[in-house]
């Protein structure tokens, strides 16, 4: 319930603070203005929600509200899948049954996931999804406790992530792989250079617009929309800028600042050419060039290019705190997972042995 300020005028007898009406009564404009002066909340514009819409939103299940409140679409998609899997495991058919979930249910589910051979990090994420849901339900007084509390989660290697990184020689091969002077080759060279020189996420690169490139303090920067709706500015590497400008000159959309930077060169499905190239399309393109260039890495994915760029920057004495900001990490411990300097085979004691 909204309440007015702390002045003595807001008190009546011994009844305590006076409640402020959220919806005003039918009154003239003068009365509404007078009410506003008296400290009451007055409605000055038309109602945007109909009564039916208002009550429909009031009836939205708590679980759906929790899900809708997750900003990152990838996290939202993953958590949605995880919660559905847990509900199916438990055979829950009605929201009230969530109150009956205990720690034993979570431990049994964890055992099932381990039996399926899932990676420890994946199991931890799935348990985190359920914990997040129950934290929300506890705050809404829909359940009395969070059954995930106290459930042990699989240990993961906290020193180094699992995503591979390319060697410098492999990265150079990939950068040179798109040969030719046609539009596709120029676009693909620009995309790969943007990845390997700026360590962007797949979703961040696909979301770049022409207007994402702008000058700051005399240096061209990418305005990157990262996780959690956080914006960061990444200086553009000269080699990547050369490739991008060559591509834009050929493509001819350098003045279309609100539209995607990297676009399809042909679209057999919809015929639309001014939309962004998809993350899946970029992945297939990179895999094609990696194979053509003889770059064979187990687990090669777009995230490997991000890891490669981070490792290369650290190898060339970049401050890890700056690398953290560059990557858009909230926690520096996450940045350390991208550091593959200890995985350089040429530094192994194996090659120091001499008889």
């Amino acid at each position: 319930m909204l309440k007015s300020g702390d002045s003595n005028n807001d008190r009546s007898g011994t009844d305590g603070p006076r409640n402020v009406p959220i919806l005003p009564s039918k009154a003239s404009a003068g009365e509404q203005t007078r009410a506003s002066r008296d400290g009451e909340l007055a409605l000055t514009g038309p109602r945007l929600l109909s009564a039916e819409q208002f009550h429909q939103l009031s009836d939205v299940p708590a679980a759906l509200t929790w899900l809708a409140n997750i900003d990152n679409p990838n996290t939202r998609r993953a958590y949605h899948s995880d919660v559905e899997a847990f509900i199916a495991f438990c055979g829950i058919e009605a929201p009230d049954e969530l109150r009956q979930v205990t720690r034993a249910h979570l431990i049994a589910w964890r055992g099932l996931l381990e039996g399926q051979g899932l990676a420890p990090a994946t199991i931890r994420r799935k348990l985190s999804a359920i914990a997040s849901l129950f934290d929300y339900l506890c705050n809404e007084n829909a359940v009395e406790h969070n059954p995930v509390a106290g459930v042990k989660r699989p240990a993961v290697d906290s020193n180094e992530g699992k995503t591979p990184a390319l060697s410098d020689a492999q990265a150079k091969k990939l950068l040179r792989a798109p040969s030719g002077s046609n539009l596709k080759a120029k676009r693909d060279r620009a995309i790969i250079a943007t990845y390997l020189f700026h360590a962007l996420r797949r979703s961040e690169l696909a979301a770049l617009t022409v207007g994402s490139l702008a000058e700051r303090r005399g240096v061209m920067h990418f305005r990157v929309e990262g996780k959690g709706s956080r914006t960061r500015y990444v200086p553009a590497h000269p080699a990547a800028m050369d490739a991008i400008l060559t591509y834009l000159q050929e493509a001819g959309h350098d003045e279309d600042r609100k539209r995607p930077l990297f676009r399809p060169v042909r679209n057999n499905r919809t015929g639309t050419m001014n939309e962004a190239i998809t993350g899946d399309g970029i992945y297939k393109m990179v895999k094609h060039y990696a194979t053509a260039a003889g770059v064979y890495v187990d687990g090669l994915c777009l995230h490997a290019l991000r890891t490669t760029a981070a490792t290369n920057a650290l190898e060339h004495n970049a401050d890890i705190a700056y690398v953290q900001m560059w990557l858009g990490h909230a926690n520096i411990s996450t940045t350390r997972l991208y550091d593959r300097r200890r995985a350089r085979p040429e530094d192994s004691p194996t090659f120091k042995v001499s008889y």
Side-chain angles (χ1 to χ4, degrees):
M1 184 73 72
L2 292 175
K3 296 180 180 179
S4 60
D6 293 328
S7 67
N8 292 332
N9 292 336
D10 291 329
R11 299 184 179 275
S12 175
T14 59
D15 292 336
R18 175 171 55 84
N19 292 337
V20 178
I22 294 177
L23 293 178
S25 59
K26 294 181 179 178
S28 66
E31 290 172 331
Q32 288 192 0
T33 302
R34 191 162 53 253
S36 297
R37 286 199 302 266
D38 292 340
E40 294 184 0
L41 194 63
L43 187 66
T44 58
R47 179 173 183 164
L48 300 181
L49 287 178
S50 67
E52 181 182 2
Q53 290 172 326
F54 178 82
H55 290 295
Q56 284 176 345
L57 288 173
S58 299
D59 293 336
V60 171
L64 291 181
T65 305
W66 160 78
L67 193 64
N69 201 38
I70 299 174
D71 290 330
N72 186 277
N74 295 325
T75 303
R76 186 165 59 244
R77 191 181 308 114
Y79 276 23
H80 185 202
S81 175
D82 296 337
V83 169
E84 281 191 337
F86 178 70
I87 288 174
F89 169 77
C90 293
I92 293 173
E93 297 180 351
D96 286 349
E97 293 182 69
L98 289 171
R99 298 177 182 176
Q100 301 170 26
V101 173
T102 67
R103 187 181 300 174
H105 293 100
L106 272 302
I107 293 173
W109 189 49
R110 183 192 63 193
L112 173 70
L113 299 176
E114 290 171 341
Q116 293 173 346
L118 297 182
T122 302
I123 296 175
R124 288 177 65 89
R125 189 210 68 215
K126 290 178 178 293
L127 290 172
S128 295
I130 310 306
S132 175
L133 170 61
F134 274 95
D135 277 342
Y136 180 83
L137 295 177
C138 284
N139 289 336
E140 294 295 305
N141 294 320
V143 298
E144 294 182 356
H145 70 287
N146 189 336
V148 188
V151 175
K152 291 184 178 179
R153 306 187 189 188
V156 295
D157 184 356
S158 59
N159 296 318
E160 185 175 300
K162 302 300 181 184
T163 305
L166 279 62
S167 68
D168 288 355
Q170 289 173 321
K172 288 177 182 178
K173 284 184 178 181
L174 192 57
L175 284 166
R176 297 170 183 155
S179 59
S181 57
N182 58 29
L183 176 59
K184 185 178 187 305
K186 292 178 179 179
R187 183 204 64 183
D188 295 349
R189 281 195 292 269
I191 289 175
I192 293 173
T194 302
Y195 262 121
L196 285 172
F197 285 110
H198 306 97
L200 302 185
R201 299 178 178 93
R202 179 171 79 166
S203 58
E204 293 172 347
L205 186 138
L208 291 175
T209 65
V210 177
S212 296
L213 276 169
E215 191 173 285
R216 291 168 62 86
R217 302 187 68 178
V219 176
M220 292 299 292
H221 283 65
F222 290 101
R223 186 185 69 252
V224 180
E225 305 298 333
K227 281 187 174 181
S229 301
R230 292 189 294 268
T231 300
R232 68 185 189 280
Y233 293 89
V234 177
H237 193 282
M241 275 305 305
D242 286 346
I244 290 171
L245 292 176
T246 300
Y247 158 63
L248 286 176
Q249 185 177 13
E250 178 78 15
H253 61 270
D254 51 312
E255 298 296 330
D256 197 1
R257 298 186 60 79
K258 294 185 178 180
R259 304 297 296 179
L261 175 60
F262 298 117
R263 308 178 183 184
V265 294
R266 62 177 180 270
N267 192 325
N268 296 328
R269 186 168 61 86
T270 65
T272 302
M273 305 296 290
N274 60 356
E275 299 297 330
I277 184 173
T278 65
D280 287 341
I282 297 173
Y283 169 71
K284 291 175 182 176
M285 179 266 289
V286 169
K287 287 284 286 185
H288 166 75
Y289 286 120
T291 301
V295 176
Y296 301 108
V297 177
D298 287 338
L300 178 63
C301 58
L302 294 179
H303 211 65
L305 306 189
R306 179 169 157 87
T307 303
T308 300
T311 299
N312 187 279
L314 291 167
E315 285 177 341
H316 289 87
N317 302 316
D319 189 303
I320 194 169
Y322 284 108
V323 174
Q324 175 193 352
M325 293 186 290
W326 188 57
L327 294 170
H329 287 157
N331 195 309
I332 200 168
S333 62
T334 307
T335 307
R336 291 193 178 97
L337 298 177
Y338 286 67
D339 186 356
R340 298 292 188 278
R341 286 176 291 181
R342 288 174 297 173
R344 284 166 50 97
E346 57 267 38
D347 293 337
S348 171
T350 296
F351 301 108
K352 307 300 180 184
V353 176
S354 177
Y355 297 106

